[in-house]
Amino acid sequence: MSNVESNEDNSGLDSEAFLAPQYTLLSSEDLDSISVDKICQFFHDAAKDAIKTKDFISYSTLIDIYLSNSNNYNDDEMEKLLATLHEILRNDVEFNNNELIYEIGWDLPEVLINFIESSSFKFKSYLSNAPCIKSSLSIFDLLARYGNPKELFLKACELLSSLKCHFKENQNDKEDEQKETGDANKDEENQNEDQLNLELLVDQFSNDELKERFFDIKFHSLLELLLASLKRIHTNSPSKFLVMAITALLKLLNNNVDEILNLSFLARRLYVFARDYIPPLPLDPPKDSTFDNIYQFSEDELYLQRKLLQSFITHLAELSLKYTDLSLSLSFYSQLQLKFSLCNKPVISKSKSNKETSKNKTNNNDFSNAIQKNIRNYRSTNDEMLKEITLRLMELSQSFDLNLEEIFEADFINYSKELYLKILLEKGTLNIISNSIKDQNLREEFIIREIFRISNDDFKRNSLISMNGNGFSKKIGNDNDNDGIKLSKIGLLYICFFSFSEKLDSNEEMTKKKIISSLLNFKDVLLLSIRFLIPVLSISNDKNLTLSDFLSFRIAEKRNTVYTEIKDCILFGLWLSISRECLTNNDIKDISKDKNLRIFLKILLQTLTTIISVDEKENNIRQSIYTLIVKILSLSDEEFCWEFLKDSIEFCPYSNARIAMVGILKDLLTRNKPVIKDSISNIEENLKGMKIGENPSEEKTEILKQSQSQPPSLPPRSSKFITLTNPRLQEIIELFKRSVEETFTVSINKDDDENFTISLDLESKKSKYTNGIDENDFKLLLTYLNLLIGIKNMVPKEIIQKDVVSLIEETVKEFKEVAGKNPKENSPNVDLLLFILENFSK
Amino acid sequence: MSTFYDLSPLDKAGNPYPFSELKGKVVLIVNVASKCGFTPQYKGLQELYQKYNEKGLEIIGFPCNQFGHQEPGTQEEIASFCSTTYGVTFPIMKKVDVNGANADPVYEYLKSKKSGLLGFKGIKWNFEKFLVNQNGEVVERYGSITKPESISQKIEKLL
């Protein structure tokens, strides 16, 4: 019998006033004093009353009072409450024409979501055994089938928009566990605390990964509710519902992409949402209609839905690959290595050496190494899955009528040209202004600054989602506003480059050559590279992070890899264009001679140098970029190449880059240019010289006569990529001397005000020897010596003797005398220099 | 390409298969794949073929590897799979692209004549079907989930 008195006559008053005293608003103390059995009884009784009185608001309030905070109950109690609710709703469906569920359904999803996550579940059995999972899913199922579809659709959108994967409880768990472990350690002497902490951190990571499954279930339940409700809605404006759904789903992804470890689950479900999207039924479907012709909407409605889905998949690609590396460039580079035997062992994947760490060491580095290893292994599986999803998104984009070739041409190639038109055009405003600057260096600086500004502004305009969590609502959130429905440029960039990679993967060698020749020329990729690489480097190097961001290994790890895929796509594009350049040989030399384009080329090379110096951690990627720089330089105009290398060696702030540049300089000064192309051009020239219709036998006789009268021609003279002229030799010697000075005598001090002072006195020499010579300075000096050994046969002996051998001998001798006999243990061994000098006399 | 009968795709041996030979027939064109969840539809297609071929139905399969890489095999492997697993006797053509810049002209034509759900022209997945009447007009387009047997009524009507 019900404890609730009838309130039929009191409609219009506050519903809470009519709840029986047993289940009116209660304080938390009151709530504690009521048993769960009692609450279940309230639910049963109140349900009967609600159906009788049609006062469903009061019933919703009752549920809200008792179920809004799942923390008030233990696992068994939560199970009992949900089982009762499920029983009431099932009875409602069976006996009351689902009136109750239709009216109160709106309030239930939020309650159920809170009950899904259990803080006590230990993940030692299947997740389905976790408390409340089955009962929650059963109630969701009833809601999806019998609830008010429009209300539940809206509620699902609302909850999806705000659903967040968080790890607060894990941190508490971690502290508790550490405390417990700490207590145990007190009794055990010589316990290796580091090792224990390490294990805890790794366990913590695994636990986080497992706890993400609760988030997955919440997401899955809400998405299913959304889809089921959408199918039950009848409307002639399906685009209104679709825009709400995709806005909610993209918000969900954007809110969680920085936290979630296993993004592939989310991304896969969103891909399936787009692929299998079926609009709500029209209000008056045609009679005798089948699935294939029932969805008759106005042309505008069909168009809007198409645009929304197109937009959705491109944004999905952008967000799901935010921290992912598809390794398109590395994979292509590896193919090139195999083909041209660039080295003995091709790079197949990212270096293992970076992932593997010594098991026995327990120093501080091992903590982060072990965690990083764990994350990397996990992410590499996740990346593989995301690669598969990217493939599917690429396929779906074609099914959704996105013409990737046209889009690439318009949005990436032509748009990039337009973007820099002010600089590139002879009459472009920026070009005209820059021409008024007489000093060549100042002019170049002005243009570089403008290129940076244009690139950064463009990137901000085109990546609103990534820059601002609310950005996409501005882009796709305007109902029926076509201009509001934009495609994600970054998502499209990924999809387009992935499609290039697919084309190359699935074809034979001859077809590949055709594809490469038709895809990208260097000039186009150059502008595209500048447009995307400059902003990406600015973002990934930004230090605008809070302390807690840095302390979180999750974020720290990801911050290093943000927008990696943009870099990957651009590098892949550069390799493709270089391959085309090798096949057709036209672009790079002209670019490096052009007054304006050479500035773009210089920026590209400097950007690549920065990537290998400070940004990229993977050895194999760095190696591929290094090879790319050499390749571009070797195809450039000789003067440009020399000036770039000299400039970098002199002014580049990264010592490892300067060392690399000296190595490249040596390569280009000593390596012969291939002569095969010259022979081919000779053949072509001969063929051009032949006239059609002339008697070939006469021609032959003439050639034969000529050849008999002349001695056989010499083989083509090989030339170097950079010719060692006298002025260049002088500059190299000067740079070498400066390196000697910097290594031994120049001490650069930085004071508190960021001012640099340079000491050249005897004390600084002592200081160098006692404090140790800088390792990078020493490495640079060794690389110079290596360069000089490489070119010694092209250099007059007296210069080698005076400016190299004697200088080193004297400097080392003097240095030893000044510095005393107790060199610092870790300091480089200067005697190595004397040993190397022997190579000059060989 | 002006009419359906002007098309001439390549058969599995790489020889032209002029659609002009199909004049007066009802034609069902399907993009097929051997490793797809819908692959069992081969059975239903073969049953349709056996039932209506003599009455004037022709079924033509175009293998395509554009959806989840589910048709990776060579021409011989595809032919062998179709005949041994499902006893397929209707013609299976050379593997083609159905979407993108390299889409086969047959598919360019069919898509231009009949759009799919929401008006998208692109093929969404394996085993989408186009039904062409005896005058060479594309009269229906069916999604992958439409089973071959459910089309029989329409085919009978056209025959």
Side-chain angles (χ1 to χ4, degrees), chain A residues 601-770:
Chain A
L601 185 59
K602 197 175 165 183
I603 296 176
L604 172 68
L605 289 165
Q606 284 171 341
T607 311
L608 294 176
T609 310
T610 308
I611 293 175
I612 50 174
S613 302
V614 290
D615 190 63
E616 185 54 58
K617 304 289 181 288
E618 286 288 344
N619 280 339
N620 287 333
I621 297 176
R622 289 172 59 199
Q623 186 204 330
S624 79
I625 298 173
Y626 178 85
T627 314
L628 188 63
I629 294 173
V630 177
K631 203 73 197 161
I632 294 172
L633 284 172
S634 67
L635 292 165
S636 303
D637 171 59
E638 187 181 333
E639 192 55 33
F640 172 87
C641 178
W642 160 254
E643 286 295 331
F644 174 79
L645 286 171
K646 193 181 66 147
D647 233 39
S648 307
I649 292 167
E650 217 170 341
F651 300 113
C652 180
Y654 313 115
S655 54
N656 55 350
R658 277 156 59 205
I659 293 167
M661 291 301 150
V662 175
I664 294 176
L665 179 61
K666 182 206 163 188
D667 255 19
L668 298 180
L669 280 167
T670 53
R671 265 167 50 185
N672 290 329
K673 276 186 188 172
V675 289
I676 304 159
K677 273 186 183 160
D678 293 344
S679 313
I680 291 171
S681 3
N682 286 341
I683 292 165
E684 282 173 352
E685 284 305 310
N686 285 338
L687 284 172
K688 276 180 199 165
M690 284 179 74
K691 289 173 192 167
I692 298 166
E694 281 179 357
N695 188 342
S697 57
E698 278 178 22
E699 188 89 11
K700 255 186 198 171
T701 322
E702 188 57 33
I703 293 169
L704 202 64
K705 273 183 194 169
Q706 280 182 12
S707 66
Q708 281 167 351
S709 63
Q710 290 169 3
S713 62
L714 290 166
R717 248 183 97 185
S718 65
S719 59
K720 312 291 180 197
F721 288 97
I722 296 176
T723 313
L724 186 66
T725 59
N726 270 336
R728 285 176 186 166
L729 175 63
Q730 285 310 314
E731 293 197 68
I732 291 171
I733 294 292
E734 283 309 310
L735 287 169
F736 168 72
K737 284 178 177 173
R738 189 189 298 178
S739 171
V740 174
E741 270 188 3
E742 281 177 7
T743 308
F744 288 96
T745 59
V746 180
S747 167
I748 300 174
N749 307 309
K750 200 169 153 188
D751 62 24
D752 292 342
D753 298 327
E754 302 282 311
N755 294 320
F756 291 94
T757 54
I758 297 174
S759 320
L760 283 163
D761 56 14
L762 202 61
E763 282 307 308
S764 72
K765 290 181 187 176
K766 277 185 183 174
S767 151
K768 281 259 174 182
Y769 209 52
T770 46

Side-chain angles (χ1 to χ4, degrees), chain A residues 348-377:
Chain A
I348 291 163
S349 60
K350 287 186 217 165
S351 62
K352 280 189 174 177
S353 56
N354 277 3
K355 297 178 185 173
E356 286 168 5
T357 52
S358 165
K359 286 179 184 175
N360 299 324
K361 291 179 186 173
T362 56
N363 60 35
N364 283 336
N365 282 338
D366 278 352
F367 287 163
S368 61
N369 283 343
I371 292 160
Q372 281 182 13
K373 180 187 167 189
N374 209 340
I375 294 173
R376 277 200 178 112
N377 289 343

Side-chain angles (χ1 to χ4, degrees), chain A residues 275 292 306 395 399 401 502, chain B residues 69 118 121-124:
Chain A
R275 191 194 64 186
D292 292 292
R306 288 200 299 272
E395 291 169 355
S399 303
D401 299 343
E502 275 295 295
Chain B
H69 289 168
L118 302 177
K121 293 195 184 304
I123 304 294
K124 208 194 255 184

Side-chain angles (χ1 to χ4, degrees), chain A residues 525-621:
Chain A
V525 187
L526 172 65
L527 298 181
L528 189 66
S529 307
I530 299 296
R531 180 177 155 200
F532 282 100
L533 281 184
I534 287 174
V536 164
L537 273 193
S538 314
I539 289 168
S540 63
N541 288 329
D542 106 59
K543 298 285 182 282
N544 192 18
L545 293 172
T546 64
L547 184 62
S548 62
D549 286 342
F550 276 115
L551 291 176
S552 160
F553 64 80
R554 197 187 313 280
I555 290 173
E557 168 70 15
K558 285 185 168 181
R559 288 296 301 187
N560 287 336
T561 58
V562 69
Y563 288 126
T564 305
E565 193 41 39
I566 292 186
K567 274 186 271 176
D568 181 37
C569 286
I570 296 298
L571 290 172
F572 177 45
L574 283 166
W575 273 117
L576 278 173
S577 67
I578 289 286
S579 308
R580 177 190 158 122
E581 185 80 7
C582 293
L583 291 171
T584 58
N585 191 28
N586 48 17
D587 261 355
I588 298 180
K589 192 159 264 177
D590 295 340
I591 289 170
S592 57
K593 285 178 178 174
D594 184 277
K595 183 178 73 170
N596 291 323
L597 278 171
R598 70 200 304 271
I599 302 176
F600 284 84
L601 185 59
K602 197 175 165 183
I603 296 176
L604 172 68
L605 289 165
Q606 284 171 341
T607 311
L608 294 176
T609 310
T610 308
I611 293 175
I612 50 174
S613 302
V614 290
D615 190 63
E616 185 54 58
K617 304 289 181 288
E618 286 288 344
N619 280 339
N620 287 333
I621 297 176

